[in-house]
């Protein structure tokens, strides 16, 4: 069941960020801080976080936030699916739920940044499968030799079926 995150989910989300292979184990503190900031202030500031709860166990998480100084443009800053659920349409379903939430609120654009390195081949394939366009590349963005790829979806366009699930 896809639902909004609650404070009780915070530690499971930090674990999920690692089991999804989104972050290495040593980065779990970063996600814990992200969750603490979310419940302390960011949620009130408009950030949003959905989880996919499979019978009390979190299978996936997505975090998204409005970009300052834009007209209803958002960025998906985190999406991760537990490794045991990969390639079953869970990520597609969760990203579609994010888009549906933003469309319901009359938001306009959703952007996603990712790396151009082979480690993120599946992430880029996933965004293309979900109907995102590769909009731009910034060379050496993360570090020398590690370019950033920016994906974009126009939320005002009619929602299309994406993926084969
Ligand atoms: C990227 C991620 C969220 C995809 O989640 P998922 O639930 O496995 O994705 P889905 O099952 O919805 O896949 C939809 C489509 O995306 C593409 N895709 C997903 N994983 C893929 C992979 N490993 N290799 C190639 N294509 C892939 C396929 O087109 C797939 O459709 P198909 O399975 O019918 O071929 C998941 O792999 C993940 O959590 N990765 C680690 C964290 C991460 O990289 N997050 C993004 C950071 S920018």
């Amino acid at each position: 069941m896809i639902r909004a995150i609650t404070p009780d989910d915070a530690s499971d989300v930090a674990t999920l960020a690692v089991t999804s292979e989104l972050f290495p184990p040593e980065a779990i503190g970063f996600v814990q801080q992200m969750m603490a900031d979310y419940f302390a202030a960011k949620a009130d500031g408009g950030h949003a976080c959905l989880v996919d709860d499979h019978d009390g166990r979190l299978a996936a998480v997505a975090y998204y936030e409005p970009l300052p100084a834009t007209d209803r443009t958002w960025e998906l800053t985190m999406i991760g699916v537990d490794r045991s659920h990969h390639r079953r349409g869970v990520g597609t379903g969760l990203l579609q739920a994010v888009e549906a939430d933003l469309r319901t609120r009359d938001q306009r654009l959703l952007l996603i940044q990712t790396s151009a390195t082979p480690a993120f081949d599946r992430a880029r394939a996933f965004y293309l499968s979900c109907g995102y366009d590769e909009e731009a590349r910034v060379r050496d963005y993360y570090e020398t030799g590690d370019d950033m790829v920016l994906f974009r979806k126009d939320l005002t366009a009619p929602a299309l079926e994406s993926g084969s699930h």
Side-chain angles (χ1 to χ4, degrees):
M1 177 184 65
I2 295 175
R3 59 170 174 80
I5 190 173
T6 70
D8 287 345
D9 296 317
S11 86
D12 289 344
V13 164
T15 304
L16 177 61
V18 174
T19 60
S20 68
E21 302 173 351
L22 180 60
F23 288 105
E26 59 272 22
I28 196 166
F30 170 81
V31 186
Q32 286 166 336
Q33 187 59 51
M34 192 177 171
M35 291 294 104
D37 292 346
Y38 177 77
F39 290 110
K42 302 286 190 189
D44 289 339
H47 290 205
C49 188
L50 295 181
V51 293
D52 191 354
D53 179 336
H54 286 212
D55 299 325
R57 292 200 56 181
L58 295 194
V61 60
Y63 189 106
Y64 46 113
E65 57 190 85
L67 290 174
T70 67
D71 174 25
R72 295 169 291 141
T73 299
W74 289 66
E75 182 175 1
L76 183 84
T77 44
M78 177 167 87
I79 186 164
V81 174
D82 181 85
R83 186 79 188 82
S84 64
H85 293 275
H86 280 187
R87 292 307 279 275
R88 296 183 187 174
V90 171
T92 300
L94 188 58
L95 188 47
Q96 286 175 343
V98 168
E99 294 164 10
D101 173 41
L102 294 175
R103 283 192 171 98
T104 300
R105 297 195 268 148
D106 195 29
Q107 302 304 294
R108 207 171 52 84
L109 275 188
L110 184 54
L111 304 180
I112 309 172
Q113 296 183 18
T114 193
S115 165
T117 57
F120 288 86
D121 282 352
R122 71 180 165 196
R124 296 192 308 282
F126 169 69
Y127 298 134
L128 290 171
S129 151
C130 290
Y132 286 74
D133 295 322
E134 183 182 320
E135 187 73 6
R137 283 195 178 221
V138 181
R139 284 172 291 157
D140 302 327
Y141 178 86
Y142 296 106
E143 60 183 357
T144 303
D146 188 349
D147 301 348
M148 182 261 276
V149 184
L150 182 70
F151 287 90
R152 172 190 187 272
K153 184 178 271 194
D154 178 355
L155 299 172
T156 68
L160 298 172
E161 285 296 313
S162 58
S164 55
H165 302 279

